[in-house]
């Protein structure tokens, strides 16, 4: 279908394009399709290609100095989060054209999967003020937009991500990590003053309704409620965790799984467990997680994601 020709004011934008996003396809053809749709809707795109040595911070500063205020990411959740971090607290607008493997951020914000529909939304959608979590571990502090994980999920991420992108040679690494990762005594200190200390393999803190393979983690507007969703898998074995993941759509939840809503919390683990935020490894040890409310403005869909959210948090 021929895209609608936009007759109103044309707008200069920066297109951040990741040629390696997704599980396959022709990146050159995807780029040309994206450019065609953007131009048809009245955008003047300047392309920035994501490469291993690229500097998003420098690119963003240069574009802002030249008067660019809209940044459009064509890529997956990792690319979206990386660009969003550059715009925290800056008067600007982020657009998303989801071409990754999971696209949880786009799903959470009601952004359609097709390139043509996602581009149309950049003109016809609504501006959403989106929160960001901020994780601090030692001297490292990093905003995150999807999820921060502590424990087994973080340890498994490198191999599982490789498998999702077609590298089946990492299956052995995945299974070895799963078998060898021990549980830890996990202590959560919530901003309410409540302290929970139990053994477990995983703690996850999410800012979006969906994580992983579209796992329904939180309520559909959780990205703008000024709160973070915490899920603590306490006293669950690895087999329990796998069983829970496989049966997550049956509407039942193990009573050992505890949920909380917080603005901040501290997490301590003994022994130290691995930490990741939006796919970025932050090492091991204790951490503090806070919230940056209304951190960025994103062009989203007319409605939030339609899938059912999570059960309520502990009170």
């Amino acid at each position: 279908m021929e895209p609608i020709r936009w007759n109103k004011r044309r707008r200069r934008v920066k297109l951040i394009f990741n040629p390696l996003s997704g599980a396959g396809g022709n990146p050159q053809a995807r780029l040309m399709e994206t450019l065609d749709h953007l131009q048809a809707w009245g955008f003047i795109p300047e392309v920035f290609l994501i490469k291993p040595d690229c500097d998003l911070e420098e690119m963003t500063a240069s574009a802002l100095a030249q008067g660019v205020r809209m940044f459009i990411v064509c890529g997956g959740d990792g690319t979206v989060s990386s660009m969003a971090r550059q715009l925290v607290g800056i008067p600007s607008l982020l657009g998303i054209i989801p071409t990754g493997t999971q696209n949880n951020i786009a799903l959470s914000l009601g952004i359609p999967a097709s390139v043509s529909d996602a581009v149309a939304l950049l003109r016809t959608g609504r501006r959403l003020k989106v929160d960001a979590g901020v994780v601090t571990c030692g001297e490292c502090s990093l905003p995150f937009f999807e999820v921060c994980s502590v424990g087994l999920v973080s340890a498994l991420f490198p191999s599982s991500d490789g498998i999702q992108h077609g590298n089946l040679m990492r299956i052995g690494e995945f299974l070895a990590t799963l078998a060898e990762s021990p549980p830890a005594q996990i202590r959560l200190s919530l901003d309410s003053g409540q302290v929970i200390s139990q053994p477990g393999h995983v703690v996850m803190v999410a800012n979006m309704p969906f994580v992983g393979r579209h796992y329904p983690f939180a309520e559909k507007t959780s990205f703008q409620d000024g709160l973070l969703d915490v899920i603590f898998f306490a006293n669950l074995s690895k087999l329990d965790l796998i069983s829970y993941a496989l049966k997550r759509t049956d509407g039942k939840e193990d009573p050992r799984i505890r949920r909380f809503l917080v603005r901040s919390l501290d997490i301590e683990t003994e022994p130290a467990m691995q930490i990741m935020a939006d796919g970025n490894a932050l090492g091991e040890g204790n951490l503090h997680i806070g919230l940056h409310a209304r951190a960025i403005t994103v062009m989203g869909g007319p409605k939030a994601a339609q899938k059912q959210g999570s059960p309520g948090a502990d009170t």
Side-chain angles (χ1 to χ4, degrees), residues 60-76:
T60 304
S62 176
L64 289 168
Q66 296 172 34
V68 175
R69 290 296 179 269
M70 186 170 187
F71 298 81
I72 300 171
V73 177
C74 186

Side-chain angles (χ1 to χ4, degrees), residues 106-129:
L107 174 63
S108 298
L109 299 176
I111 298 170
S114 76
V115 171
S116 60
D117 291 343
V119 171
L121 196 70
L122 299 174
R123 284 290 193 182
T124 63
R126 58 176 180 151
R127 297 188 179 209
L128 301 172
K129 293 290 187 178

Side-chain angles (χ1 to χ4, degrees), residues 14-22 27-28 30-31 46-60 71-86 94-95 97 99-100 165 280:
K14 201 76 178 182
L15 174 65
I16 297 87
F17 182 84
N18 188 347
L20 300 180
S21 65
Q28 290 80 15
R30 186 165 67 244
L31 175 58
E46 301 172 2
V47 179
F48 179 84
L49 291 180
I50 294 292
K51 299 177 181 179
D53 59 347
C54 70
D55 190 333
L56 279 175
E57 183 177 358
E58 180 181 355
M59 179 277 295
T60 304
F71 298 81
I72 300 171
V73 177
C74 186
D77 289 322
T79 312
V80 172
S81 294
S82 295
M83 187 62 229
R85 280 195 292 274
Q86 308 304 320
L94 178 66
I97 302 172
T99 59
H165 287 86
N280 295 277

